[in-house]
């Protein structure tokens, strides 16, 4: 009698290198359900020690090519907190706009290029583009992604790894006229964002997805006044509500054999989820009016504990990101150049941002000469690994009737719900399902 | 001197009047520095500027300029960016003089249509300097602080007003309505300029600079500079007289249509002199530094009718991270010179060629025949598509064409046929680079672009009545084949004729099927040699480098002209061997290879000392080039 | 002519460079029309075995397992492209090569070491022959499109191996080093980025690696004696994105 094993030695359409390994015993009992991140360790925490404080945001953004802005901004704020650097209101707004640009490109990329092909039965967006009926949608998706990238370019200098943002502010600020051009494009993109929510809701309403609900703790940033993206308190659906710099106190991690990334739990409790679904659940009130309307139209109600609804949450956040960007552009008007200024000062602190795929925490200790003594990096995917394995444990037994091929695809979708960034997680995915006969 | 006055209070109105008819550019502030930029109103103008980051050269010789666009193999459209009427306001004397120097490059032989159009459409309103700039040394070359040519109007600040000198008819029109300058105004002008001149303390002693540099090609200063210099090329990018550029083809994703732009290049770049197979003629940083300094201070004026190659604007000093300074370099050499020796500065003859069409536009030519010569070398027979062009096409033995494959690029290739054949011409090409490899994929009937013929060929006139010794190595036989054909057709005009040909192996020999015919030319001997014979190959001739044939040949120095082409190392030993046998440098002609991006003395890639290989060569009398500061062989 | 088969591989890296392949939205469908993407895990579920015409490798090799994979990839690809700073020179991960022993690096990050196997980070040409380099962290989209077109045409791409200063001057940027005293590495760093960082008032950090004939030792002296950087500051500059290259090592060792 052999086990039934679902094994995907690399998970496609995710960022990085990881595997799924699921072993099902002869009586349908789950013997193993692992998401293994095989992304090799890169030792950022090690080589940051001895670097200069202002280099930290530049270096850590290179942990991830998809959410560099989240790492960058968390590190910028952690360094500023540690050294007691104050920044202008304009800088705060520009940072937020920069980050929304990343959300728009990341969500557009994930929804259309990484997730939707699963639901429509295509192996990739490239194959999808081969269907003349779907080609216009792919074209629009690429336009939306371009728009997000253009925000990053205009505010930060380029698509991947921003240049202009640094400790203390921005080395160069965008022209007001450029921002206003973006605003017009953002307005024009709204309709497609609405369509995205509808499409996502339609896809996630297909069986068996609506039945796959698992209540777990949802953690995100929260700010009463605005949808939290770069700043806020750390909150959860189970009542966590603490300042973001206390992150290391409340969220603990452990090293797991045969996996290069660390698993995370809430202090005194269990695994938890981060990402768009927890954000929409915790911050529904702060969404833009149109984003709320879009949610209502497709029947989304918060809190929602179906991880397959993450794609819908991404759609809702796309609508919100567009609205928020427009509002930020209005607030910014014609930005004026302010020289980024800071002085080295000994200190220690942490800061949290919301990467497109969930909370991202950076922090550490800096000495009086601005040399890093210690640096901690907590990336969103690493937070979700353990929670995903709990999803496997809950959902795989409900899907045992499926063929190995079907079950494998469903397991991959379960992974892609988290839009994992496996480069982040080391600090990926192979699915392996084995059933005993 | 016709002069007017422009009160400073009326500058706004003067500029506004200009704006009605012209686009106006002038010095504007950029952060802590200045640049030339568009002027909306007089308030934008910063006439108190010291210098700009880039010189106004950028308005004439654009940093990137599309020479033409293409679509498919042959369709050529477009003629560069259109230029409206423009005014450059507030150009300092150094930059005005630099433009006069650049005119010699771009308007001399093969006038460049793009540069020419902009020069003709631009009014220059100069601004004499009444205060010296930090790093300038213009008075060394009489290129400042006042200008005496090259402007339409020239302003001099005399306090509350400008004295406005008229330099052209167009300038005079613009000055209409201004009050005439009084004698006092002119005295004030002269006084201000003299005062400025006295304040310029940085100076290069320009007397006999060429000789001094020639005598100090080897000098510890160069090695010192080599350690300092970052080879970043900034000095050349900001130089108002640097003209070098590279030419490349860029295609869109159809891979068929695209454009051919020229882009500023720099002799300070390691790869500047790179040719196919990654051979680099000037790999040593010290050699590149010398090329720049020698070119600015000596070669340029040799090449272009005495025009200064350096106008002392000081930009290269201000922008250099290591503050490398021509003034200091010359002073250091003057302070510790090598013992004087007599040097002969070779100044190539300047020809002025003005073709009817744009010199950039290739003519379409069709491949009529393809004949493999060796594993990687092929002879292509071309004919111009336009029969009239073909009929009129003639060339000297030893010259070259620029061959274009649209989308891939352009390369200089010598012509391997003799112009006695009227209905076609040959190129014998080894596939080693982008263009030649692409050519190797073409078939009979395919079309390429041809520009040419260019350059100076073998001295077939001078050879008349004399014996001829021809020494070729490998592919070097290709540009010599026309001479063989030429002599064959005029056999009675030449004396004894000996051909020495060497190749690596028998399989690397070109034109082997013509050897019998050559042997039959009266009073002609053909000697062959190879470096080695692979097993199984038959070979009944000499084995050894080509100079080992010298003992067999009958040629003696008396009344003989020797012509040679092949790898430089081969030519070096051929020349040495013949000098040892009593030949004089006056009797020896060599054909040189260098990187070329234009063929018409513009791109600067092919320079050796003051020589442009493309137009002054590729064939040179050895006596002329043997003492160039940059050692050839 | 059959469409060339393209493969995209990832080693130790942030995926930013392969993401740039998807960031050519405006040309993406044209590029997809011109090539056959045979292997691209981040974008496709169905990935095919080699051989491939062009292989793009992102990331530095940092584990023995990756090294074996790289050697296999080399055999499978006619043209192998090192894509991005990590693959070209080791990139940021190579900083660890200069910060104590490998074991020390491991111990700083991981408390339980039984499962961690890593080796120093080098560019892939440390191990295999590389046919073309796309420099930068991340790569420049324009250069990537240029490389694809050149590969389709079968010619060498027109890259700019000289210094960033050249592109910076053409933009008429005020020099961050000369005029503002900032430690900009543009003069020794290979161009092709359009002098992006200096154009945004930010000193070049050398992510594209050394320019042709870079004289890093001379620049290091300027940093030390004229800009007042400490010896450690200078070493940090040159041992960042391309500390593995002999040229930048000379900069670090000059002080």
């Amino acid at each position: 009698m052999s086990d039934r094993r679902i094994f995907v030695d690399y998970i496609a359409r995710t960022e990085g290198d990881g595997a799924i390994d699921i072993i099902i015993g002869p009586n349908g009992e789950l013997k193993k359900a692992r998401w293994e991140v095989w992304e090799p360790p890169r030792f950022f925490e090690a080589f940051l020690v001895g670097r200069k404080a202002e280099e930290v945001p530049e270096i850590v953004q290179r942990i991830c090519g998809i959410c560099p802005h989240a790492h960058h901004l968390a590190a910028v704020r952690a360094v500023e907190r540690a050294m007691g650097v104050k920044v202008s209101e304009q800088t705060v707004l520009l940072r937020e706009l920069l980050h929304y640009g990343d959300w728009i490109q990341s969500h557009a990329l994930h929804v259309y290029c990484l997730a939707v092909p699963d639901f429509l039965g295509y192996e990739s967006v490239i194959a999808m583009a081969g269907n003349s009926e779907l080609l216009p949608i792919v074209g629009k998706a690429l336009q939306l992604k371009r728009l997000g990238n253009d925000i990053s370019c205009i505010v930060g200098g380029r698509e991947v790894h921003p240049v202009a943002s640094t400790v203390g502010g921005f080395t160069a600020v965008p022209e007001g006229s450029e921002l206003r051009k973006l605003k017009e494009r953002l307005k024009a993109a709204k309709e497609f964002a609405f369509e995205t929510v509808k499409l996502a809701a339609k896809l996630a309403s297909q069986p068996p997805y609506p039945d796959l609900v698992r209540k777990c703790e949802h953690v995100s940033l929260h700010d009463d006044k605005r949808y939290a993206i770069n700043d806020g308190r750390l909150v959860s659906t189970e009542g966590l509500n603490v300042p973001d710099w206390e992150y290391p106190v409340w969220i603990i991690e452990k090293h797991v054999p045969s996996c290069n990334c660390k698993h995370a739990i809430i202090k005194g409790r269990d695994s938890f989820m981060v990402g768009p679904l927890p954000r929409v659940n915790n911050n529904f009130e702060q969404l833009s009016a149109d984003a709320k309307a879009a949610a209502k139209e497709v029947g989304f109600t918060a809190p929602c504990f179906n991880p397959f609804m993450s794609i819908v949450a991404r759609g809702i956040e796309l609508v919100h990101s567009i609205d928020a960007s427009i509002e930020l552009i209005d607030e910014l008007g014609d930005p004026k150049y302010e020289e980024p200024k800071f002085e080295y000062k000994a200190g220690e602190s942490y800061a949290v941002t919301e990467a497109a795929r969930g909370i991202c925490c950076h922090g550490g200790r800096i000495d009086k000469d601005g040399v890093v003594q210690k640096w901690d990096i907590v990336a969103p995917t690493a937070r979700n690994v353990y929670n995903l394995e709990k999803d496997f444990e809950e959902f795989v037994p409900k899907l045992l009737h499926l063929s190995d091929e079907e079950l494998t695809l469903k397991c991959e979708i379960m992974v892609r719900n988290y839009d994992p960034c496996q480069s982040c997680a080391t600090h990926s995915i192979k699915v392996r399902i084995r059933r005993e006969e | 001197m016709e002069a007017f006055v422009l009160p400073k209070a009326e500058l706004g109105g003067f500029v506004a009047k200009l704006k009605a008819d012209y686009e106006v550019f002038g010095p504007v502030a950029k952060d802590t520095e200045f640049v030339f930029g568009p002027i909306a109103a007089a308030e934008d103008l910063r006439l108190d500027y010291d210098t700009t980051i880039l010189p106004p050269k950028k308005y004439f010789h654009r940093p990137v300029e599309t020479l033409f666009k293409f679509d498919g193999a042959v369709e050529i459209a477009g003629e560069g960016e259109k230029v409206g009427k423009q005014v450059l306001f507030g150009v300092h004397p150094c930059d005005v003089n630099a433009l006069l120097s650049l005119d010699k490059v771009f308007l001399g032989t093969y006038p460049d249509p793009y540069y020419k159009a902009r020069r003709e459409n631009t009014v220059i309103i100069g601004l004499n300097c009444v205060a010296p700039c930090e790093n300038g040394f213009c008075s060394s070359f009489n290129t400042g602080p006042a200008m005496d040519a090259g402007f339409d109007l020239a302003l001099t600040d005399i306090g509350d007003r400008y004295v406005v000198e008229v330099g052209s008819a167009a300038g005079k029109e613009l000055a209409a309505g201004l009050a005439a300058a009084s004698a006092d105004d002119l005295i004030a002008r002269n006084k201000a300029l003299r005062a400025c001149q006295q304040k310029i303390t940085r100076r290069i002693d320009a007397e006999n600079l060429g000789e001094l540099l020639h005598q100090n090609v080897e000098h510890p200063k160069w090695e010192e500079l080599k350690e300092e210099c970052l080879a970043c090329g900034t000095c050349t990018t900001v130089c108002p007289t640097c003209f070098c550029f590279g030419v490349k083809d860029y295609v869109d994703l159809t891979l068929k249509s695209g454009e051919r732009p020229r882009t500023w290049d720099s002799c300070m770049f390691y790869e500047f002199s790179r040719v196919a197979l990654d051979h680099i003629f000037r790999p040593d940083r010290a050699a590149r530094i010398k090329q720049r300094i020698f070119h600015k201070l000596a070669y340029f004026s040799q090449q272009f009718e005495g025009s200064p190659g350096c106008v002392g604007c000081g930009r290269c000093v201000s922008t250099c991270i290591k503050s490398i300074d021509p003034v200091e370099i010359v002073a250091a050499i003057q302070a510790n010179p090598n013992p004087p020796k007599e040097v002969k500065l070779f100044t190539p003859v300047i020809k002025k060629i003005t073709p009817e069409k744009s010199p950039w536009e290739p003519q379409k030519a069709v491949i009529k025949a393809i004949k493999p010569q060796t594993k990687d070398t092929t002879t292509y027979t071309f004919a111009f598509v336009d029969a009239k062009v073909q009929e009129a096409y003639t060339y000297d033995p030893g010259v070259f064409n620029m061959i274009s494959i649209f989308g891939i690029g352009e390369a200089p290739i010598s012509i391997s046929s003799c112009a006695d054949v009227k209905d076609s011409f040959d190129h014998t090409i080894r596939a080693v680079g982008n263009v030649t490899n692409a050519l190797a994929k073409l078939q009979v009937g395919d079309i390429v672009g041809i520009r040419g013929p260019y350059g100076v060929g073998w001295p077939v006139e001078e050879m008349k009545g004399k014996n001829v010794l021809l020494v070729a190595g490998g592919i070097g036989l290709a540009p010599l084949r026309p001479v063989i054909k030429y002599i064959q057709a005029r056999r009675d005009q030449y004396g004894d004729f000996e051909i020495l040909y060497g190749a690596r192996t028998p399989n690397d020999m070109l034109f082997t099927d013509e050897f019998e015919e050559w042997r039959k030319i009266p009073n002609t001997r053909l000697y062959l040699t190879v470096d080695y014979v692979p097993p199984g190959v038959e070979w009944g001739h000499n084995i050894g480098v080509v100079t080992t044939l010298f003992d067999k040949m009958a040629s003696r120095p008396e009344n003989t002209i020797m012509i040679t082409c092949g790898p430089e190392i081969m030519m070096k030993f051929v020349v040495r061997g013949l000098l040892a046998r009593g030949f004089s440098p006056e009797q020896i002609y060599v054909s040189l290879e260098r990187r070329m991006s234009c063929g018409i003395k513009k791109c600067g890639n092919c320079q050796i000392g003051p020589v442009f290989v493309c137009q002054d060569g590729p064939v040179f009398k050895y006596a002329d080039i043997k003492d160039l500061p940059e050692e050839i062989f | 002519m059959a469409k060339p088969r393209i493969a995209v591989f990832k080693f130790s890296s942030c995926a930013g460079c392969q993401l740039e392949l998807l960031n050519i939205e405006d040309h993406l469908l044209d590029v997809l029309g011109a090539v056959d993407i045979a292997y691209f895990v981040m974008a496709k579920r169905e990935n095919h075995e080699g051989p491939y015409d062009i292989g793009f490798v992102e990331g530095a090799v940092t584990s023995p397992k990756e090294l074996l994979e790289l050697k296999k990839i080399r055999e499978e690809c006619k043209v192998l492209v090192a894509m991005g700073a990590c693959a070209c020179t080791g990139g940021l991960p190579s900083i660890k090569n200069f910060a104590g022993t490998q074991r020390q690096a491991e111990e700083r990050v991981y408390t339980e070491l039984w499962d961690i196997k890593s080796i120093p980070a080098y560019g892939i040409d440390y191990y295999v022959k590389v046919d073309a380099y796309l420099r930068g962290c991340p790569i420049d989209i324009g250069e990537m499109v240029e490389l694809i077109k050149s590969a389709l045409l079968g010619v060498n791409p027109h890259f700019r191996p000289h210094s960033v200063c050249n592109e910076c001057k053409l933009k008429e940027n005020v020099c961050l080093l000369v005029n503002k005293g900032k430690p900009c590495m543009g003069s020794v760093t290979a161009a092709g980025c359009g002098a992006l960082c200096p154009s945004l008032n930010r000193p070049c950090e050398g992510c594209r690696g050394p320019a042709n004939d870079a004289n890093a030792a001379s620049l290091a002296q300027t940093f030390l004696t004229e800009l007042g950087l400490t010896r450690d500051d200078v070493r940090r500059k040159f041992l960042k994105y391309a500390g593995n290259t002999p040229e930048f090592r000379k900069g670090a060792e000059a002080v």
Side-chain angles (χ1 to χ4, degrees), chain B residues 22-23 25 59-60 83-88 118 121-123:
Chain B
Y22 298 90
E23 216 176 328
F25 299 90
Y59 291 113
F60 305 99
V83 267
K85 283 165 72 179
Q86 57 187 22
V87 169
L88 288 195
R118 297 208 185 90
N121 278 314
T122 306
V123 168

Side-chain angles (χ1 to χ4, degrees), chain A residues 73-93:
Chain A
L73 293 167
V76 160
R77 286 181 47 247
V79 168
E80 285 169 356
R81 268 185 182 158
M83 303 199 304
V85 180
K86 294 275 172 285
V87 297
S88 71
E89 179 63 15
Q90 174 179 292
T91 292
V92 172
L93 297 178

Side-chain angles (χ1 to χ4, degrees), chain B residues 474-491:
Chain B
I475 185 93
L477 186 57
L480 285 164
R481 178 174 173 251
V483 177
I484 301 172
K485 299 276 185 191
Y486 192 90
I487 292 179
Q488 183 179 15
R490 299 161 184 77
R491 190 64 196 95

Side-chain angles (χ1 to χ4, degrees), chain A residues 12-13 15 39-40 42 46 50-52 55 58 62 65 123 145-146 149 163 165 171 258 412, chain C residues 10 12-15 19 23 25 41-42 44-46 66 108 115 137 200-202 233 236 240-241:
Chain A
R13 286 189 271 115
E15 187 282 326
E39 186 68 19
R42 286 184 292 155
R51 303 302 300 197
K52 280 304 212 21
E55 288 185 296
E58 174 201 335
R62 287 166 165 91
E123 66 91 21
K145 184 164 126 43
R146 185 68 248 167
N149 274 328
V163 169
S165 171
T171 57
S258 78
E412 287 188 43
Chain C
K10 176 180 183 295
S12 218
S13 62
C14 74
L19 190 68
N23 281 342
E25 293 92 352
V41 171
M42 193 167 91
K44 285 163 62 74
R45 194 161 184 261
E46 281 171 22
E66 287 183 325
R108 279 192 199 153
D115 213 33
C137 182
L200 291 166
N201 202 15
R202 181 160 185 154
D233 285 338
R236 273 190 281 264
K240 195 167 184 177
Y241 292 93

Side-chain angles (χ1 to χ4, degrees), chain C residues 164-176:
Chain C
V164 170
C165 285
N166 179 247
E167 295 184 323
C168 199
K169 276 287 159 294
L170 291 180
K171 290 188 159 181
E172 295 199 74
N173 292 325
V174 172
C175 183
L176 291 176

Side-chain angles (χ1 to χ4, degrees), chain C residues 8-233:
Chain C
V8 181
F9 305 98
K10 176 180 183 295
F11 292 124
S12 218
S13 62
C14 74
C17 292
Q18 47 178 318
L19 190 68
E20 291 284 45
L21 271 172
L22 300 173
N23 281 342
I24 52 171
E25 293 92 352
D26 298 342
H27 305 293
L28 188 60
L29 295 173
D30 292 334
V31 170
L32 292 178
V35 300
D36 170 17
I37 308 272
Y39 188 94
F40 187 0
V41 171
M42 193 167 91
K44 285 163 62 74
R45 194 161 184 261
E46 281 171 22
N47 291 293
H48 306 287
E49 294 278 306
Y52 311 105
D53 293 300
I54 311 173
F56 291 92
V57 173
E58 181 195 68
V61 169
T62 61
S63 76
K65 177 174 156 267
E66 287 183 325
L67 181 51
L68 293 175
E69 283 171 26
L70 175 65
K71 290 191 168 158
K72 181 165 171 274
I73 289 166
R74 172 66 272 188
E75 284 169 18
E76 290 177 336
C77 298
K78 256 190 246 165
V79 173
L80 190 69
V81 182
M83 179 166 72
C86 298
C88 288
T89 59
L92 279 183
S94 73
I95 295 175
K96 72 169 182 170
N97 300 3
F98 312 105
T101 63
Q102 188 57 36
R103 195 68 182 175
Q104 284 167 344
E106 289 169 2
E107 282 170 358
R108 279 192 199 153
V109 187
Y110 296 91
T111 47
E112 295 157 79
L113 289 171
W114 68 83
D115 213 33
I116 303 299
K117 288 185 193 72
S118 68
I119 56 177
Y122 292 108
I124 59 172
D125 65 0
Y126 189 79
Y127 302 107
V128 297
K129 179 179 165 280
V130 169
D131 302 303
Y133 296 84
L134 284 171
R135 293 157 171 266
C137 182
I139 58 167
D140 179 83
I141 294 180
E143 280 198 337
M144 187 179 51
V145 175
E146 172 66 20
L147 183 89
I148 292 171
K149 285 190 290 203
S150 301
L152 293 173
L153 283 171
V155 300
N156 299 320
H158 307 321
F159 287 161
R160 290 161 289 271
H162 49 257
S163 77
V164 170
C165 285
N166 179 247
E167 295 184 323
C168 199
K169 276 287 159 294
L170 291 180
K171 290 188 159 181
E172 295 199 74
N173 292 325
V174 172
C175 183
L176 291 176
L177 198 159
V178 172
N179 299 111
K180 301 199 162 177
K182 292 187 180 166
C184 179
M185 291 175 69
S187 56
V188 295
T189 301
C193 53
L196 177 72
C197 296
S199 301
L200 291 166
N201 202 15
R202 181 160 185 154
C204 170
E205 294 287 347
C207 79
R208 298 177 58 86
N212 268 351
D213 200 29
N215 187 355
S218 177
L219 184 64
Q221 284 305 332
T222 297
F223 283 176
L224 190 70
T225 57
E226 285 176 43
L227 306 189
L229 268 64
T230 66
R231 291 193 153 71
D232 281 343
D233 285 338

